[in-house]
Amino acid sequence: TEAIRVKGLSYSYPDGTPALEDIDLTINEGEKIVIIGPNGAGKTTFFLHLNGTLKSQDDRILIKGKDINDMDNTERIHKVGIVFQDPDDQLFMPTIFDDVAFGPINMGLPEDQVKERVKKALSKVALEGFEERVPHNLSYGQKKRVALAAVLSMEPDILILDEPTANLDPKSRSDFIKVINKLNREGITTMIAMHDVNALPDLADRVYVLNKRIIAEGSPMEIFSDW
Ligand code: ADP
Ligand code: ADP
């Protein structure tokens, strides 16, 4: 079944800058997709459509068969979790517990379930017991994992990550890739935007190359052979 289906999505900014042109893509449940594209290719613009910041015409973006325009915030956040590039944009509470609990509290879950969700999310990113730590004092790689945990605590079906390996040292990068791959093996559909083609084979079953339009689609092998 289809996790995400995009049909003929185009978008230009109010000043006339074209950002997306007639995008068609389909991501099946459980797949691991990478979207490769240079700066300015439209990756962020695409994600802003998936988190409701930018509105498309009806029937352009379907999440598990349902038009994204027919979903309220709570439903959309429960289906699609987005981890943006800079964790400092996502972590704004005094403790890690508060950051990771923010989504579940907003979903109206009772306190014991909130605690359970936070514990589970932190264990998935290998930060067990970090609840009372202060985000500000963590390393960049740890902050990235907290930002991921804050999305996982909402238990989304689809996980989207913008440049997850950017600015990480090699060890943190490989740790983070392991976390993502484990989540995918456990059943979460993953869509990753990046321009670091070195990490491609580890992170993608299938690749879309984006430059405002989709200019290629295939397995990492296929994409590399005519790169
Ligand atoms: P990427 O995330 O792949 O770097 P973006 O989605 O940020 O690409 O940008 C796609 C295009 O839209 C670029 O040409 C960019 O300059 C332009 N753009 C992005 N944000 C705005 C904005 N707020 N106003 C006008 N143009 C924008
Ligand atoms: P990314 O690192 O995801 O590619 P960018 O560096 O392209 O993001 O953009 C950073 C911010 O600047 C974004 O909020 C984007 O919307 C905005 N932006 C990018 N290009 C333009 C533009 N031509 N005009 C106005 N805002 C822009």
Side-chain angles (χ1 to χ4, degrees):
T1 43
E2 290 169 1
I4 299 183
R5 172 92 182 259
V6 177
K7 295 185 290 186
L9 175 66
S10 296
Y11 184 81
S12 295
Y13 280 95
D15 68 0
T17 309
L20 296 173
E21 293 173 9
D22 203 20
I23 303 295
D24 284 303
L25 59 82
T26 303
I27 300 174
N28 295 314
E29 274 181 39
E31 264 195 313
K32 216 162 56 164
I33 296 291
V34 164
I35 297 184
I36 290 263
N39 257 332
K43 301 181 297 291
T44 307
T45 305
F46 180 47
F47 293 161
L48 294 175
H49 279 88
L50 294 174
N51 82 353
T53 305
L54 295 176
K55 276 252 171 292
S56 50
Q57 290 169 273
D58 283 351
D59 216 30
R60 301 289 171 179
I61 302 177
L62 306 181
I63 308 292
K64 289 189 155 187
K66 184 169 176 182
D67 191 339
I68 197 167
N69 288 348
D70 294 337
M71 294 178 188
D72 61 21
N73 265 349
T74 312
E75 183 179 7
R76 199 189 50 246
I77 287 168
H78 187 58
K79 292 209 162 91
V80 185
I82 308 186
V83 183
F84 283 97
Q85 185 171 343
D86 186 353
D88 289 324
D89 291 345
Q90 218 164 329
L91 306 177
F92 49 91
M93 302 292 270
T95 69
I96 287 175
F97 178 87
D98 297 323
D99 270 318
V100 181
F102 186 81
I105 289 171
N106 268 341
M107 288 164 78
L109 294 178
E111 199 182 325
D112 56 332
Q113 284 184 38
V114 170
K115 282 191 177 151
E116 197 48 46
R117 291 243 186 160
V118 172
K119 194 165 180 236
K120 198 167 149 195
L122 287 177
S123 104
K124 284 184 188 291
V125 300
L127 290 175
E128 292 91 348
F130 272 59
E131 276 91 341
E132 298 314 317
R133 302 273 291 266
V134 179
H136 183 70
N137 295 336
L138 300 182
S139 72
Y140 189 79
Q142 289 172 326
K143 284 186 194 172
K144 290 284 281 197
R145 284 187 278 146
V146 175
L148 172 56
V151 165
L152 292 177
S153 64
M154 290 177 276
E155 302 191 345
D157 301 318
I158 303 163
L159 177 65
I160 297 179
L161 301 113
D162 192 6
E163 296 286 355
T165 60
N167 307 318
L168 292 177
D169 60 75
K171 165 86 168 98
S172 313
R173 178 176 309 197
S174 95
D175 287 348
F176 204 63
I177 289 174
K178 277 185 198 140
V179 169
I180 296 167
N181 282 338
K182 181 148 186 287
L183 291 166
N184 180 257
R185 280 197 304 277
E186 290 169 0
I188 195 163
T189 306
T190 55
M191 178 160 79
I192 299 169
M194 50 197 245
H195 59 258
D196 171 16
V197 286
N198 293 315
L200 242 196
D202 284 330
L203 282 172
D205 300 327
R206 211 148 58 75
V207 182
Y208 284 98
V209 183
L210 178 73
N211 198 355
K212 306 217 161 100
R213 298 177 300 113
I214 301 285
I215 57 175
E217 183 259 323
S219 69
M221 283 282 284
E222 287 165 339
I223 296 297
F224 267 123
S225 64
D226 48 54
W227 191 251

